[in-house]
Amino acid sequence: MTTTTTATYWTELDSPVGRLLLTAAPDGALTSLSVPGQKGGRAVREDWRHDAGPFRAAGEQLAAYFAGELTEFRLPLRAEGTAFRERVWAALDDVPYGEIAARIGASRPAVRAVGGAIGANPLLILRPCHRVIGADGSLTGYAGGLERKTRLLALEGVPAPAPSRPVPPPATPR
């Protein structure tokens, strides 16, 4: 019996919203982008390979995005999840602003499941889940934190709506 293992490459980049951890498959497709303190974010594993090479295009495009010069990423992405989550994540690629559930044809009761799938998006910023707001127009949750979500929306020239709940102050590093 032959066992095949797939290498995971990783690198870190500085950004205006904190340090970014990027992972990629051997073919260069990005598999995740995480921020410090992210709910469900990734952490470097011992069996991963540190190599900035597969991330040159991502680094250039992220720098252009944060400089206000890029509005759409053109990078190979490969996030793995359930078929439902993959449909939601694919819908994120086309959403400039608004509610995802209606775009994928989800029923009203499925809104919670859509929210869960958005919250599990492993490609923050690249798959713009920060653009999703509540159906009532309020600022809703973001795995990277509401402060980051507000900063990303401001960077994109979108006035952030009022939060549905008060935004807690940012955590201070220990």
Side-chain angles (χ1 to χ4, degrees):
M1 181 167 120
T2 304
T3 305
T4 305
T5 58
T6 302
T8 297
Y9 294 89
W10 70 276
T11 197
E12 290 182 314
L13 302 172
D14 287 320
S15 83
V17 295
R19 196 102 169 120
L20 307 177
L21 170 65
L22 287 87
T23 63
D27 65 359
L30 295 172
T31 55
S32 74
L33 185 156
S34 301
V35 296
Q38 174 184 334
K39 179 183 175 186
R42 298 188 84 177
V44 177
R45 292 182 20 183
E46 194 175 298
D47 60 334
W48 290 359
R49 295 181 187 169
H50 186 254
D51 183 355
F55 303 97
R56 283 191 186 95
E60 291 169 3
Q61 289 187 35
L62 284 162
Y65 169 77
F66 287 119
E69 301 164 356
L70 182 79
T71 59
E72 185 178 327
F73 293 99
R74 299 208 181 275
L75 297 165
L77 307 176
R78 183 178 309 126
E80 294 182 7
T82 65
F84 177 78
R85 283 186 174 183
E86 288 180 10
R87 273 183 41 224
V88 172
W89 298 337
L92 286 172
D93 292 337
D94 299 327
V95 175
Y97 191 79
E99 188 177 336
I100 295 292
R103 283 197 178 241
I104 67 163
S107 65
R108 193 84 173 125
V111 169
R112 270 180 132 30
V114 170
I118 291 170
N121 171 23
L123 290 157
L124 294 188
I125 304 169
L126 302 174
R127 283 224 159 110
C129 54
H130 59 277
R131 295 179 185 159
V132 176
I133 60 167
D136 63 358
S138 66
L139 189 65
T140 56
Y142 181 60
L146 289 180
E147 181 184 344
R148 273 193 191 94
K149 181 174 186 162
T150 301
R151 290 175 68 188
L152 290 167
L153 289 172
L155 177 84
E156 294 180 3
V158 177
S164 56
R165 289 178 264 156
V167 177
T172 39
R174 295 181 192 194

